C-alpha cells in the first residue's frame, strides 16, 4: 500500500514552496556572483573554490543548527520568516560594503594563502549563508506544519 499524496496543494503550501524555490535560487546566484567577484582579489585555483564553497556550506549548516535550536526553544519562531529574509538582504548589502575594507588591507595585492582567501570569504559569504540556513529550516518547519506528514513535507 503506497502513501497517498494530495492531488491539490493549498495556497499556503504553494506559497511556501515558491519562497523556498526563490530563496534557494537567490543563494545559488549569489554563490556564482561571489565566486566571480572574489576572483578579482584572490588567486583562482581549486583551493580557492574549496574555501569559498566551505564557507557557504558551513554558513548554511550552522544556520540550520541555529534555526533548529531556536525552534526547539520557541516552536512558533518560524513565523519570523519575513524578518529573516529581510535580514538576509541587509546582510548581503553590508557584506559587500565590508569587502572594500578587506580589499584595502591587501593594498592591491592578490590573496594567495588559505587564510587570506578566508579573510575575503568570511565577511562576504558567511552571514548571508548563515541566515539562509535559518530561513530554510524555518521554511521546512512551516511546510511541515501545513502538510503534517514529514514524508510529504520533504
Amino acid at each position: 500500500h503506497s502513501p497517498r499524496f494530495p492531488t491539490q496543494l493549498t495556497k499556503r503550501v504553494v506559497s511556501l514552496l515558491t519562497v523556498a524555490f526563490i530563496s534557494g535560487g537567490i543563494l545559488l546566484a549569489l554563490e556564482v556572483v561571489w565566486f566571480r567577484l572574489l576572483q578579482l582579489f584572490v588567486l583562482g585555483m581549486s583551493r580557492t573554490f574549496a574555501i569559498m564553497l566551505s564557507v557557504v556550506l558551513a554558513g548554511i549548516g550552522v544556520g540550520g543548527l541555529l534555526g533548529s535550536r531556536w525552534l526547539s526553544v520557541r516552536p512558533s519562531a518560524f513565523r519570523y520568516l519575513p524578518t529573516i529574509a529581510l535580514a538576509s538582504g541587509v546582510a548581503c548589502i553590508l557584506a559587500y560594503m565590508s569587502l572594500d575594507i578587506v580589499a584595502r588591507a591587501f593594498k592591491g595585492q592578490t590573496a594567495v594563502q588559505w587564510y587570506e582567501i578566508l579573510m575575503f570569504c568570511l565577511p562576504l559569504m558567511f552571514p548571508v549563508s548563515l541566515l539562509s540556513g535559518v530561513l530554510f529550516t524555518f521554511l521546512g518547519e512551516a511546510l511541515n506544519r501545513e502538510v503534517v506528514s514529514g514524508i510529504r513535507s520533504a
Side-chain angles (χ1 to χ4, degrees):
H1 159 297
S2 64
R4 294 177 51 209
F5 292 95
T7 55
Q8 292 187 354
L9 299 173
T10 66
K11 239 181 176 180
R12 174 96 169 128
V13 169
V14 170
S15 294
L16 289 169
L17 290 172
T18 302
V19 168
F21 176 78
I22 292 170
S23 298
I26 289 171
L27 186 61
L28 182 61
L30 272 173
E31 286 180 51
V32 172
V33 170
W34 289 332
F35 295 157
R36 297 285 185 190
L37 177 66
L38 287 179
Q39 292 298 307
L40 300 171
F41 304 101
V42 301
L43 187 62
M45 54 188 163
S46 57
R47 176 178 43 170
T48 302
F49 179 76
I51 291 169
M52 292 177 183
L53 187 58
S54 296
V55 169
V56 171
L57 293 177
I60 293 170
V62 170
L65 291 172
L66 288 174
S68 177
R69 176 72 177 132
W70 192 358
L71 286 168
S72 71
V73 172
R74 186 176 184 149
S76 64
F78 70 93
R79 296 178 198 262
Y80 292 110
L81 273 167
T83 305
I84 304 257
L86 177 64
S88 186
V90 170
C92 188
I93 292 167
L94 293 175
Y96 278 101
M97 292 171 67
S98 75
L99 186 62
D100 184 51
I101 296 166
V102 175
R104 278 193 223 159
F106 281 86
K107 299 179 177 134
Q109 298 295 315
T110 301
V112 177
Q113 300 299 322
W114 71 268
Y115 55 87
E116 295 172 335
I117 297 165
L118 194 59
M119 282 178 59
F120 276 99
C121 295
L122 277 175
L124 182 65
M125 301 171 161
F126 192 79
V128 177
S129 298
L130 181 127
L131 288 169
S132 291
V134 174
L135 185 73
F136 296 150
T137 302
F138 282 13
L139 280 167
E141 178 62 21
L143 188 60
N144 194 44
R145 287 174 184 248
E146 286 296 318
V147 178
V148 179
S149 166
I151 294 171
R152 289 182 184 170
S153 65

